[in-house]
């Protein structure tokens, strides 16, 4: 079964940092780009960024709203993707999902999400 | 403010049909496929439509998608109470290579 499982969310003070993890199984992880998408309470889905595969130099790209504060990485030996979030702001509070571009480049598999709350 | 524009809400009675629109630009919908996702309360998003009008296995044919120019739409026929959810359109965007843009989402209420 193809599966993605996020973890690492929690309550963090403004200005703090957090590293989210995404564990993949059931597919060839090393051959797939990985994306992160978030949904803040009362708002819609927002694409955060993506990391490509080793043949594509693990290239990353980020939404303008998070560039410079968010870093996506991966460990193909562990089938894991990560989202490092620094200088957290209240507006970063959201459920964070990892997903992959599967057949026909659609996000066909999603994790259950991990919740990040930024508050003092 | 989302890059793709959707109406915030839509509604219909059981058995009726509803259409949700999605408007973008030449860098996203105008030059790339459109995808639709359904998000039930408390759940992760689920792929509903890919490549403008294709349904993944298991998605009933009550759901259909279309695209014209820089706009797209999702039609849901024969509404059921379980269709009550948030619906999002999405597209890859050429203005930032490798990026994806979403609509703001449409909350569908089945009356």
């Amino acid at each position: 079964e193809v599966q993605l499982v996020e973890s690492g969310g929690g309550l963090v003070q403004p200005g703090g940092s957090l590293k989210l993890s995404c564990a993949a199984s059931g597919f060839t992880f090393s051959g797939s780009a990985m994306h992160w998408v978030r949904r803040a309470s009362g708002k819609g889905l927002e694409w955060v960024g993506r990391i490509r595969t080793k043949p594509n130099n693990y290239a990353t790209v980020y939404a303008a709203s998070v560039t410079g504060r968010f870093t996506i990485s991966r460990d193909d030996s562990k089938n894991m993707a990560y989202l490092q979030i620094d200088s957290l702001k209240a507006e970063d509070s959201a459920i964070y999902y990892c997903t992959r571009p599967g057949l026909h480049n659609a996000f066909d598999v999603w994790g259950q999400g991990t919740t990040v709350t930024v508050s003092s | 403010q989302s890059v793709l524009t959707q109406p915030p809400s839509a509604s219909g009675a059981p058995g009726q049909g509803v259409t949700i629109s999605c408007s973008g630009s030449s860098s996203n919908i105008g030059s790339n496929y459109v995808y639709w996702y359904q998000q039930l309360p408390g759940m992760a998003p689920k792929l509903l439509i890919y490549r403008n009008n294709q349904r993944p296995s298991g998605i009933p044919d009550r759901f259909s998608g279309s695209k014209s120019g820089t706009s797209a739409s999702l039609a849901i026929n024969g509404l059921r109470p379980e269709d009550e959810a948030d619906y999002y359109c999405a597209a890859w965007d050429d203005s930032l290579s490798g990026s994806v843009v979403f609509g703001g989402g449409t909350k569908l209420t089945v009356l």
Side-chain angles (χ1 to χ4, degrees), chain B residues 16-35:
Chain B
Q16 287 188 335
V18 67
T19 299
I20 298 172
S21 62
C22 175
S23 178
S25 68
S26 57
S27 68
N28 41 67
I29 293 179
S31 53
N32 294 290
Y33 291 117
V34 176
Y35 304 85

Side-chain angles (χ1 to χ4, degrees), chain A residues 11-75:
Chain A
L11 174 63
V12 187
Q13 291 189 339
S17 297
L18 206 57
K19 188 172 186 177
L20 309 182
S21 300
C22 170
S25 59
F27 65 100
T28 305
F29 178 77
S30 61
S32 178
M34 294 298 296
H35 293 243
W36 288 88
V37 175
R38 68 182 180 181
R39 182 177 184 182
S41 180
K43 297 195 174 182
L45 297 175
E46 179 187 16
W47 178 82
V48 171
R50 72 99 171 100
I51 185 167
R52 298 187 74 180
T53 59
K54 182 177 180 180
N56 292 291
N57 299 314
Y58 299 123
T60 55
V61 64
Y62 303 93
S65 59
V66 306
T67 295
R69 298 188 301 117
F70 286 27
T71 304
I72 300 174
S73 61
R74 63 190 297 160
D75 185 337

Side-chain angles (χ1 to χ4, degrees), chain B residues 77-88:
Chain B
N77 295 316
L79 280 171
R80 297 183 177 185
E82 57 264 35
D83 296 334
E84 191 159 290
D86 293 319
Y87 292 84
Y88 296 89

Side-chain angles (χ1 to χ4, degrees), chain A residues 1 13 18 59 61 66 68 89 97 104 114 117:
Chain A
E1 179 192 6
Q13 291 189 339
L18 206 57
V61 64
V66 306
K89 307 175 182 180
Y97 300 97
H104 301 299
T114 187
T117 303

Side-chain angles (χ1 to χ4, degrees), chain B residues 1 4 6 11 15 17 22 25 32 38 43 45 56 62 72 83 85 91:
Chain B
Q1 194 79 354
L4 305 182
Q6 297 179 236
S11 62
C22 175
S25 68
N32 294 290
Q38 175 193 60
M43 303 290 286
R62 301 187 297 107
D83 296 334

